[in-house]
Every structure is written in structure tokens, then in C-alpha cells.
């Protein structure tokens, strides 16, 4: 499950662009990051990763994925927005902090650039076997940082339920991991007649986890004393439409459990005033 992976001939709807020029002061960070992702993928057997992903019911883990330069940029972004962390405690379910895409857009735009990397999205489409789209502009979960900084910080067993009309895929990237926390998961929980498979990984900086949010039952085990863990989540969808009722549920969940009412509903009110 941890092997790096010659690109197969799976076709997406995008044309593969040329690799960007080496980094220089004149080259935007977005192009540099995309070129580095391209070089990483040249050394990965994507077909083998895709087979593993399918055999594990839409779940795969790669211990080493992001180039060191990108990982360092993400660490710097996570440190830059630490004053904006919103902490939540839901008894029996979760404890920890989070920073939404809206705050990242203001204070750490590199995260948004990586989220929209064409090379990264092509890779994820090849794993999923279908067209993936960025989450809508008003979705605070589109990309977000999650902070485990106090003893006991955790999140209980859950699915990344999609309130969209299509599927929602989750990409987890390790940013900081000086902890004993584990991502524990259960495979095939919604496949009648297929034995459940339990597993656990500790994804260090630069590691990747990719899965269908409605299929993987998972949790993060509690943080110990004098430990720290920061992870980055990207969410992609196959259909960005959402019904009014689902939108209300999604907004309330985001406000209560993650980003706070001010962060979530400030975006909604701002949109209605325009």
C-alpha cells in the first residue's frame, strides 16, 4: 500500500500541457508547483496505484508523494494562518481546530494554487476513473487545514458524506506530523457480502491519501501530550449542484463542527448582497 508508482493511457478531458519552466523569480508559484507535480508523476506507476485504489474500494495511500519544496510551502502556509484557527469541541465526536478555504484564500493563496493544479487533478481523475471538478467557490471545505494541537484532539468515525448531487472525493495531504495519531479506516463497509478490511496509517509530511468520501469509514485517533499534527484536505466533486435542504445542512455542519458561523455565513451574506 505504500509503493510509489509509467503512466498508462487513461484519457481525461484535458490535454496534457507542457511541463513548466524551472523556478525563477518571473515564474508564478502555481506553474512551479504544477511542474513539480508533473515530475513526481513521471516516477509513479499510476496504473499500479489505480489497481490498488480499485481493489481497496476507492482508497489508496502513498507515503511519499509531494516534493519537498511543495511540502515546505504548505508548512509555511499552515504556520501563517495559525492565528486564524477556529477550534471546536463536539462531545463524543471531535476536538480540534480548522481553517477554511476562505481564510486560506486571503492569507495563504499557495494552497488554492495547488488545489487547482492541472497535473494533480489529472492524476486524481485517473484514479477515480471519472471527471473531477473543484468544489464551488462558497464551499469552505473545498480546501482546508486541520490542526491537532491539544491533547485529546481527534475526530471520530465518520464518512465524508457528499451533499452534492454527484460524488465527492477527498484528498488528504500530510503537512506536519509530530504525533502518535493514526488515520484508522474500514474498507468495504457498504459492500454487502464483502468482508470488511481494517487498517491504519500515519501519514507524514508529503504523504497522500485519496478516497471516495461516501465509501471510506475513518477516524483520527487522539493526540498525545506535547504532540502536533496538521493536515490538508482537498475536496473534488463530480457534480457541483446541491439542493436547498442539503445546502442548509452542509452550512450548519460547517459552522458548528468546523469553521464557525462568522466564517461560513459571512460568505453567504456577502454573496447575497452582490
Amino acid at each position: 500500500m505504500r509503493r510509489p508508482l509509467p503512466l498508462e493511457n487513461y484519457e481525461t478531458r484535458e490535454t496534457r500541457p507542457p511541463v513548466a519552466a524551472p523556478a525563477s523569480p518571473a515564474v508564478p508559484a502555481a506553474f512551479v508547483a504544477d511542474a513539480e507535480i508533473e515530475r513526481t508523476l513521471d516516477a509513479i506507476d499510476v496504473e499500479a496505484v489505480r489497481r490498488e485504489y480499485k481493489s481497496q474500494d476507492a482508497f489508496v495511500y502513498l507515503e511519499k508523494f509531494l516534493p519537498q519544496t511543495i511540502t515546505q510551502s504548505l508548512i509555511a502556509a499552515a504556520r501563517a494562518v495559525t492565528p486564524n484557527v477556529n477550534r471546536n469541541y463536539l462531545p463524543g465526536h471531535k476536538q480540534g481546530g480548522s481553517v477554511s478555504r476562505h481564510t486560506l484564500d486571503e492569507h495563504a493563496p499557495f494552497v488554492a494554487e495547488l488545489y487547482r493544479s492541472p497535473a494533480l487533478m489529472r492524476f486524481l481523475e485517473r484514479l477515480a476513473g471519472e471527471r473531477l471538478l473543484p468544489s464551488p467557490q462558497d464551499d469552505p471545505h473545498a480546501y482546508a487545514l486541520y490542526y491537532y494541537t491539544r491533547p485529546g484532539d481527534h475526530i471520530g468515525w465518520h464518512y465524508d458524506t457528499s451533499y452534492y448531487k454527484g460524488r465527492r472525493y477527498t484528498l488528504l495531504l500530510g503537512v506536519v506530523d509530530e504525533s502518535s495519531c493514526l488515520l484508522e479506516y474500514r474498507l468495504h463497509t457498504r459492500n454487502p457480502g464483502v468482508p470488511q478490511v481494517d487498517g491504519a496509517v500515519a501519514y507524514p509530511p508529503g504523504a497522500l491519501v485519496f478516497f471516495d468520501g461516501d465509501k471510506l469509514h475513518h477516524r483520527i485517533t487522539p493526540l498525545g501530550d506535547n504532540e502536533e499534527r496538521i493536515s490538508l484536505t482537498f475536496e473534488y466533486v463530480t457534480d457541483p449542484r446541491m439542493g436547498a435542504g442539503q445546502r442548509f445542512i452542509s452550512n450548519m455542519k460547517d459552522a458548528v463542527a468546523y469553521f464557525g458561523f462568522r466564517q461560513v455565513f459571512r460568505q453567504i451574506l456577502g454573496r447575497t448582497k452582490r
Side-chain angles (χ1 to χ4, degrees):
M1 292 174 53
R2 302 188 180 187
R3 67 180 75 92
L5 294 225
L7 301 175
E8 91 277 43
N9 293 322
Y10 179 79
E11 296 290 341
T12 67
R13 299 181 190 176
E14 297 179 4
T15 301
R16 184 183 178 92
V19 175
S24 75
V27 179
F31 292 104
V32 175
D34 197 59
E36 293 192 16
I37 295 292
E38 288 274 17
R39 286 191 288 271
T40 295
L41 293 174
D42 285 342
I44 288 180
D45 185 346
V46 178
E47 176 59 25
V49 175
R50 189 153 71 102
R51 287 196 301 268
E52 186 172 6
Y53 173 83
K54 293 178 68 176
S55 71
Q56 297 181 138
D57 195 26
F59 167 83
V60 74
Y61 166 70
L62 296 177
E63 186 175 26
K64 296 180 180 180
F65 178 74
L66 288 179
Q68 182 67 18
T69 52
I70 293 181
T71 300
Q72 290 302 317
S73 294
L74 292 179
I75 293 172
R79 299 303 186 199
V81 299
T82 296
N84 305 96
V85 170
N86 183 77
R87 287 193 58 85
N88 298 90
Y89 173 58
L90 298 179
H93 179 58
K94 77 178 292 289
Q95 174 182 306
S98 52
V99 173
S100 80
R101 65 93 53 82
H102 305 306
T103 299
L104 294 174
D105 286 343
E106 293 181 37
H107 302 288
F110 176 78
V111 176
E113 294 166 356
L114 182 62
Y115 175 72
R116 296 183 177 89
S117 161
L120 178 62
M121 291 188 67
R122 281 195 302 274
F123 171 61
L124 300 179
E125 286 182 327
R126 294 168 75 173
L127 298 185
E130 60 183 329
R131 175 70 165 173
L132 300 183
L133 300 170
S135 296
Q137 183 70 26
D138 58 358
D139 187 342
H141 270 285
Y143 38 94
L145 284 164
Y146 297 94
Y147 292 72
Y148 300 76
T149 55
R150 299 179 186 176
D153 282 358
H154 71 286
I155 186 166
W157 288 105
H158 68 287
Y159 296 94
D160 288 356
T161 302
S162 176
Y163 295 99
Y164 291 97
K165 292 184 180 295
R167 283 171 293 285
R168 185 171 78 168
Y169 289 86
T170 297
L171 174 68
L172 306 178
L173 297 171
V175 179
V176 173
D177 188 21
E178 298 173 359
S179 77
S180 56
C181 291
L182 294 174
L183 168 68
E184 295 186 341
Y185 58 86
R186 298 165 175 165
L187 306 179
H188 307 293
T189 57
R190 292 179 167 174
N191 292 340
V194 179
Q196 178 177 301
V197 176
D198 297 348
V201 294
Y203 54 99
L208 170 150
V209 178
F210 182 61
F211 57 91
D212 182 330
D214 284 313
K215 290 185 176 182
L216 188 74
H217 204 214
H218 59 288
R219 71 170 180 172
I220 301 296
T221 59
L223 191 76
D225 292 335
N226 302 311
E227 294 183 347
E228 180 185 31
R229 180 179 182 274
I230 305 173
S231 66
L232 176 64
T233 297
F234 289 169
E235 303 282 359
Y236 299 96
V237 299
T238 59
D239 185 339
R241 295 175 297 168
M242 184 184 295
Q246 286 77 15
R247 172 62 66 189
F248 176 77
I249 295 172
S250 179
N251 287 336
M252 290 300 294
K253 177 177 69 69
D254 288 342
V256 173
Y258 293 98
F259 309 116
F261 283 88
R262 184 170 180 269
Q263 183 65 218
V264 173
F265 289 97
R266 183 182 68 177
Q267 301 299 321
I268 297 172
L269 292 174
R271 188 175 68 250
T272 57
K273 290 178 181 178
R274 289 195 291 270

